[in-house]
Amino acid sequence: MSMQYRYPGVTPFTQAQQHLFFGRDQDVVELHKVVQREALVVLHSKSGLGKSSLLNAGLLSTVEQSDQYAPLVVRLGAYSVDNEGSPLDKIKDLLPEQHTLLNRLLPDESALWTRVKAYQLEHHRQPLLILDQFEEIFSYPEAEILAFQQDLAELLYTNMPLRYRRRLETAEGLSEDEEELLEAPLDPHVLLAIRSDRLHLLDRMKKYFPNILRNSFELHALNTDDAKAAIVQPAALVGDDYLSPAYTYEKAALDRMLDYLQDDQGRVEGILIQMLCEYY
């Protein structure tokens, strides 16, 4: 049996650790509402507040339970000679190469719209593309950043590209059901997670996304009650696969920890909780 810590320390929570993720219930609910309402959302916060954890252990679990979206999380990584491939290539590598219906119309097509449409046809749900640590894209060559913006704009703002529309009008041998599948609204949603001190880089995308920051969600440090939940509740979980038995914190110990961790506004960074509790 693989034994697990009750606190992940400096590493973000994974989706498999959702049962250990406490203190962010309201943030998960609010972010989910924004994602449902808007096609393009920017999640931002200062480094260390838990954007990746909120996505992995919070939003993804909520999304998958609703059966509305088929989520896909992408981490591009910073550009380097050892990190080959453009941003578009890395996203496409995680998507279906083609779909039978699409291939019958344009067999050599490989645009992002085509790959995401194939993803929709495969999963029968709305695509939700999540780009975590999005600031990394700006380390890539300008030509690759431009190509990404062009393809993403087509994905978000074109229900069906004209090249497909024209081909569909003359295509033969498609059944009514197949035509309905092709005509079904793609309605993709995209979430970009970025550090607040890198938000200014999004100005470079305003040609294709003039209102890119209109639908933004700022993640703050935890308030006192949520910080208490993040400390106390993982410790109380009962199970044979933890490295320690279930335990509680005395009030004096909890108060002293919070007093040590709180900033001038009385808030606590999630990563500090995880580091300190993992050590204990």
Side-chain angles (χ1 to χ4, degrees):
M1 180 185 296
S2 177
M3 307 296 281
Q4 61 176 318
Y5 284 101
R6 296 174 181 273
Y7 307 92
V10 297
T11 59
F13 283 85
T14 65
Q15 192 172 1
Q17 294 172 316
Q18 59 182 287
H19 62 292
L20 299 171
F21 188 62
F22 294 98
R24 289 295 190 186
D25 291 353
Q26 190 59 37
D27 290 309
V28 172
V29 170
E30 294 300 325
L31 180 59
H32 187 216
K33 287 180 180 177
V34 176
V35 168
Q36 288 180 301
R37 187 174 63 243
E38 307 296 343
L40 178 61
V41 176
V42 174
L43 167 66
H44 67 96
S45 75
K46 63 178 289 188
S47 181
L49 292 192
K51 294 184 297 299
S52 296
S53 295
L54 183 69
L55 295 174
N56 297 337
L59 182 65
L60 279 178
S61 300
T62 301
V63 163
E64 291 184 351
Q65 290 171 11
S66 71
D67 286 332
Q68 179 180 359
Y69 298 104
L72 179 70
V73 181
V74 181
R75 169 78 189 276
L76 299 173
Y79 175 78
S80 71
V81 293
D82 298 322
N83 184 17
E84 297 181 354
S86 70
L88 271 179
D89 289 338
K90 291 177 180 177
I91 297 171
K92 291 176 183 178
D93 285 345
L94 301 176
L95 292 163
E97 289 189 10
Q98 189 53 279
H99 187 279
T100 304
L101 286 179
L102 297 168
N103 195 53
R104 287 164 64 182
L105 296 177
L106 292 173
D108 297 323
E109 178 69 36
S110 63
L112 183 60
W113 186 95
T114 303
R115 295 294 186 89
V116 175
K117 181 66 177 179
Y119 190 67
Q120 179 207 39
L121 292 171
E122 181 179 292
H123 291 274
H124 306 288
R125 287 181 288 170
Q126 288 176 256
L128 171 59
L129 181 62
I130 299 172
L131 292 167
D132 195 11
Q133 301 198 23
F134 186 67
E135 62 272 6
E136 293 172 334
I137 195 173
F138 298 103
S139 65
Y140 286 78
E142 286 296 330
E144 295 181 4
I145 299 173
L146 176 61
F148 166 81
Q149 292 184 70
Q150 291 171 335
D151 266 34
L152 184 63
E154 180 181 70
L155 172 66
L156 285 174
Y157 305 134
T158 307
N159 185 50
M160 179 178 287
L162 184 58
R163 58 189 180 276
Y164 273 102
R165 180 72 60 189
R166 287 174 173 168
R167 187 69 186 89
L168 187 60
E169 290 173 354
T170 60
E172 298 179 356
L174 291 176
S175 68
E176 290 187 9
D177 289 343
E178 290 173 331
E179 289 190 17
E180 286 184 7
L181 285 173
L182 291 170
E183 292 277 8
L186 182 54
D187 195 18
H189 287 237
V190 176
L191 187 153
L192 310 177
I194 187 171
R195 286 166 43 183
S196 293
D197 62 349
R198 297 291 185 269
L199 269 178
H200 65 279
L201 295 172
L202 296 181
D203 287 338
R204 296 165 61 180
M205 298 178 63
K206 285 191 172 180
K207 177 181 177 180
Y208 291 94
F209 309 95
N211 299 313
I212 191 169
L213 288 175
R214 184 179 64 185
N215 304 307
S216 60
F217 184 96
E218 183 176 6
L219 184 66
H220 298 280
L222 295 163
N223 62 35
T224 301
D225 288 340
D226 290 336
K228 287 181 180 179
I231 293 172
V232 171
Q233 294 191 43
L237 294 173
V238 176
D240 296 329
D241 58 341
Y242 297 106
L243 287 167
S244 69
Y247 60 94
T248 60
Y249 291 85
E250 292 186 356
K251 183 179 183 303
L254 182 60
D255 290 344
R256 186 171 180 182
M257 289 172 67
L258 290 171
D259 183 64
Y260 175 72
L261 294 172
Q262 286 174 334
D263 61 19
D264 293 340
Q265 286 75 46
R267 288 183 171 269
V268 180
E269 296 185 15
I271 192 172
L272 298 181
I273 289 176
Q274 299 307 317
M275 292 170 62
L276 190 60
C277 289
E278 182 197 32
Y279 175 78
Y280 285 151

